[in-house]
Amino acid sequence: MNDNSPILQCKHLVKSYGNAAPVLKDFNISVPAGRILGLLGPNGCGKSTFLKLVAGILTPDSGSIEICGEPRTEESNRLISYLPERTYFNSSMKVYQLIDFFADFYEDFDPSVAEKMLKDLDIPLDRRLAALSKGMKEKTQLIMVMSRRTRLYMLDEPIGGVDPASREYILNTIIGNFNPDASVIITTHLIADIEPVLDEFAFMAYGGEILRAGNAERVREVTGRSIDQLFREVFRCSARY
């Protein structure tokens, strides 16, 4: 990897489903190392589709995806830790079995980090996933994803089902569990909640159009508005969205 290469670079991505209009058309984005990017937009604008393309779950119709300066391949998966919007774990497993599974599957997984975070959130290791509440399942899944030592973390609505009392801990977990050589992409509709951890933001409209993007702190200084306020203003002015 070139030291100056972004962690993720996508150029001219196009993705459609069947004969419908493209979910993404000519989508471009670059994510440098050591940054937390909030990819923010209305439901259905293509945020989850974009993450699935980067994760290799979907294949683009055209365009390119580079991870750490190299074209995306199956080998790229070791550089990506992906949290989908919906839980996908086997509900019959106990939490400690899930830790063992991740430790066997991912060389970069740190069981001690996972166990500490689970303890901090009062999630019992001997409890079956089926017996956990929806919020506890989502916390567990996020903990598994953030306990890896990789280069790109992609979190699709990581706090959507998490109670407000736990959100601060979850966000601090996101900040505290990736190194300066890694980057994080967060998609969410809870902009005010995640704004304190964002370094960069991108407002994504239907078709993958980026209406506005930039450094979160700089934009707040220049406009005098929060990212949440700016989002509401931009999308209110864009009547077609």
Side-chain angles (χ1 to χ4, degrees):
M1 172 186 170
N2 186 315
D3 290 341
N4 296 320
S5 297
I7 296 294
L8 172 66
Q9 181 140 346
C10 300
K11 295 180 180 179
H12 310 299
L13 281 184
V14 175
K15 179 62 182 178
S16 56
Y17 298 99
N19 295 320
V23 177
L24 297 177
K25 50 186 178 183
D26 198 32
F27 180 76
N28 301 274
I29 199 165
S30 181
V31 183
R35 311 299 282 173
I36 299 178
L37 168 72
L39 187 60
L40 313 171
N43 291 335
C45 72
K47 301 187 301 295
S48 294
T49 292
F50 162 66
L51 295 186
K52 290 175 182 177
L53 289 170
V54 177
I57 297 170
L58 297 175
T59 302
D61 299 339
S62 59
S64 65
I65 301 172
E66 291 186 354
I67 310 292
C68 296
E70 300 292 336
R72 212 225 92 83
T73 63
E74 286 301 308
E75 183 67 15
S76 304
N77 293 339
R78 65 183 178 83
L79 302 174
I80 300 169
S81 193
Y82 169 53
L83 176 76
E85 185 176 6
R86 293 179 177 82
T87 55
Y88 61 92
F89 297 148
N90 183 336
S91 61
S92 67
M93 295 177 72
K94 293 187 176 181
V95 175
Y96 76 84
Q97 292 174 320
L98 190 60
I99 293 174
D100 291 341
F101 174 80
F102 264 67
D104 288 341
F105 200 79
Y106 298 107
E107 292 182 359
D108 57 17
F109 181 78
D110 189 334
S112 64
V113 171
E115 289 172 7
K116 180 184 183 304
M117 289 192 285
L118 289 163
K119 181 179 179 181
D120 288 345
L121 289 174
D122 296 320
I123 299 175
L125 296 184
D126 61 352
R127 187 76 57 83
R128 291 193 186 279
L129 295 175
L132 298 180
S133 68
K134 182 177 185 292
M136 291 177 75
K137 287 178 184 175
E138 292 192 3
K139 292 175 191 175
T140 301
Q141 185 161 289
L142 176 61
I143 287 169
M144 295 298 109
V145 167
M146 295 307 300
S147 295
R148 291 182 57 198
R149 298 300 185 197
T150 189
R151 302 300 304 279
L152 177 62
Y153 300 87
M154 302 193 302
L155 313 177
D156 199 356
E157 295 287 353
I159 59 173
V162 175
D163 56 282
S166 298
R167 285 178 186 167
E168 183 176 0
Y169 177 89
I170 293 295
L171 294 174
N172 287 335
T173 296
I174 292 171
I175 294 174
N177 283 274
F178 81 103
N179 62 57
D181 295 326
S183 292
V184 180
I185 300 174
I186 303 175
T187 74
T188 187
H189 63 281
L190 299 171
I191 301 172
D193 288 291
I194 70 155
E195 181 167 346
V197 308
L198 297 183
D199 298 308
E200 313 286 337
F201 73 94
F203 294 160
M204 184 177 181
Y206 294 112
E209 180 184 359
I210 300 297
L211 297 182
R212 186 161 185 172
N215 178 278
E217 183 176 357
R218 190 174 303 125
V219 166
R220 282 191 291 264
E221 290 175 354
V222 171
T223 66
R225 299 178 181 85
S226 68
I227 301 301
D228 186 40
Q229 290 170 327
L230 193 61
F231 178 89
R232 295 171 190 273
E233 180 180 301
V234 167
F235 281 87
R236 185 168 58 244
C237 293
S238 302
R240 68 186 185 281
Y241 304 116

